Amino acid sequence: MEASSPLVMSNEVEAAQWIRGRLSAPEERVVTSIIPAGFEAYARVLHPPQLPEGQYPLVRWRDVSRWSGTAMHEHVQWHEIALPETTPSAQAPWRSQGPRQGAPFEEDMKVLVEHLAAITSTPASCYFCVWIGHLGPAVRFTSSGEPPEQIPAPPHPSRLVQLPWREYAMYEGPLSSATSFADVSHWPGSTANLWWPEDHSWCVASEIDLQWTYVAGSNDLIERILADQRIEALRASPHDSSALVIGGWLEELIDGTTEQVLSNGSAQLSLSLGTVEITWRKSSLLKHGMIHSTTTMANGSASSETPIRTRDHSHLVRLVHSAVQRAVFDLVGG
């Protein structure tokens, strides 16, 4: 297959079978629950919190780290640097909703492809899996005043790659096709969620809920990626957590706010990027009512409601805790 060949939908899903046997159980929520075990080294490529557009420059996690005064480290998560305990004197350097989940920056993808091509013995023969949730119909908004354009769903394969986390449509094509998924999926900035070469020398995984992309391969490949200043990557280990991890002052704050809502029916927080108000509206019709939250930031506000329909106290605590956490994380788009 020539390097310019288009992507071709494939029903030969057996080509992905090697991955299934090398994945950790989903409930373990570690790196190898997302990307296969057995490689020499791993890295995670951080999705930028702001993409370049018009007057707005590209913003990296390291820029936000400098702003907040919170050091970067191998296990750093977005909320650690984006929601500091004390309010910085300078304006926050990003104006978006934070790093896009499940979709790396296209320019970063090109850098990855460059490094992968240098060590791949089968660059003309690669496999790309796209989560089927990204293959549905879509709406494209045109100029102001015009009705949105309805975009039909692309064709689905007759067979899917079935892995513990997700089901995927599979495509075949050259490595250069990694940045050519706009015609396959209508999801904004969509890329393949899981891709690898025929020789299995590396693998790339962009799980739809994560703000980074995992890369697995040889020590040499990962060292090249970590050293390349055109992207932002951190070393990862197979058993690192792939889940949201909250600790320190923020964990204490969310736990304390949960107790306050359960005791008093409401709570209000003033944080470095805005305010959060939580109200528990009890109702006999819904057994325990509704949790209403409002998050107010410099550029607007967001509200949500969580129905509480349980008489089990431990379940009630979990529901309220989840509502508080979600409201706080709305401040940083996490």
Side-chain angles (χ1 to χ4, degrees):
M1 187 179 293
E2 297 298 326
S4 59
S5 299
L7 287 162
V8 177
M9 183 181 292
S10 175
N11 289 317
E12 302 300 321
V13 297
E14 291 79 12
Q17 188 62 33
W18 70 279
I19 294 176
R20 171 178 287 276
R22 289 168 59 172
L23 288 177
S24 301
E27 58 270 19
E28 292 185 28
R29 300 183 71 82
V30 294
V31 171
T32 50
S33 298
I34 308 296
I35 195 167
F39 288 97
E40 286 183 340
Y42 295 79
R44 57 182 181 127
V45 178
L46 306 177
H47 302 170
Q50 178 174 289
L51 302 182
E53 181 180 352
Q55 61 178 317
Y56 300 126
L58 173 69
V59 176
R60 296 288 191 181
W61 289 43
R62 54 181 171 263
D63 301 318
V64 178
S65 170
R66 285 192 291 267
W67 163 78
S68 68
T70 306
M72 295 281 287
H73 56 87
E74 286 188 359
H75 305 292
V76 70
Q77 298 204 354
W78 170 242
H79 63 271
E80 291 181 61
I81 59 172
L83 190 60
E85 185 174 6
T86 58
T87 305
S89 57
Q91 183 179 0
W94 83 100
R95 295 168 178 80
S96 70
Q97 290 299 306
R100 181 183 291 164
Q101 294 180 336
F105 180 32
E106 183 178 356
E107 294 304 311
D108 289 354
M109 288 282 288
K110 292 177 181 178
V111 174
L112 278 182
V113 168
E114 178 184 320
H115 287 297
L116 295 169
I119 57 94
T120 304
S121 63
T122 58
S125 181
C126 293
Y127 297 93
F128 305 87
C129 288
V130 178
W131 177 53
I132 58 171
H134 284 171
L135 296 180
V139 173
R140 178 185 293 132
F141 291 92
T142 54
S143 59
S144 178
E146 295 185 10
E149 177 186 358
Q150 301 292 326
I151 306 173
H156 277 221
S158 58
R159 301 179 68 196
L160 297 173
V161 172
Q162 296 182 335
L163 296 177
W165 277 108
R166 312 282 181 200
E167 291 183 323
Y168 304 88
M170 193 173 77
Y171 298 80
E172 293 183 50
L175 177 56
S176 57
S177 296
T179 58
S180 303
F181 274 81
D183 296 332
V184 171
S185 171
H186 306 311
W187 196 259
S190 182
T191 60
N193 301 102
L194 197 62
W195 39 295
W196 66 93
E198 189 174 33
D199 64 6
H200 302 177
S201 57
W202 49 262
C203 187
V204 179
S206 298
E207 167 57 30
I208 65 170
D209 294 327
L210 297 184
Q211 297 167 319
W212 54 79
T213 290
Y214 288 118
V215 184
S218 65
N219 286 320
D220 178 63
L221 170 66
I222 299 305
E223 290 300 332
R224 290 188 186 197
I225 291 172
L226 294 173
D228 196 321
Q229 293 302 302
R230 294 175 296 172
I231 57 178
E232 189 170 38
L234 300 171
R235 190 179 304 279
S237 297
H239 298 296
D240 287 349
S241 174
S242 62
L244 177 68
V245 178
I246 305 172
W249 72 272
L250 187 56
E251 180 182 26
E252 293 178 2
L253 179 71
I254 293 174
D255 289 347
T257 303
T258 299
E259 293 179 6
Q260 186 177 348
V261 171
L262 289 168
S263 299
N264 304 331
S266 64
Q268 183 169 343
L269 302 174
S270 293
L271 298 166
S272 56
L273 292 179
T275 61
V276 174
E277 295 182 39
I278 309 287
T279 304
W280 179 14
R281 298 171 179 169
K282 297 183 181 181
S283 168
S284 59
L285 295 177
L286 293 176
K287 296 183 180 179
H288 279 282
M290 188 81 69
I291 295 290
H292 179 82
S293 64
T294 300
T295 302
T296 304
M297 303 149 280
N299 60 349
S301 62
S303 298
S304 65
E305 290 188 332
T306 303
I308 305 295
R309 302 186 179 98
T310 180
R311 297 190 184 277
D312 179 76
H313 181 72
S314 60
H315 188 203
L316 173 62
V317 172
R318 290 195 298 272
L319 288 172
V320 175
H321 188 277
S322 177
V324 172
Q325 177 180 299
R326 185 165 58 251
V328 169
F329 274 64
D330 279 343
L331 287 169
V332 294

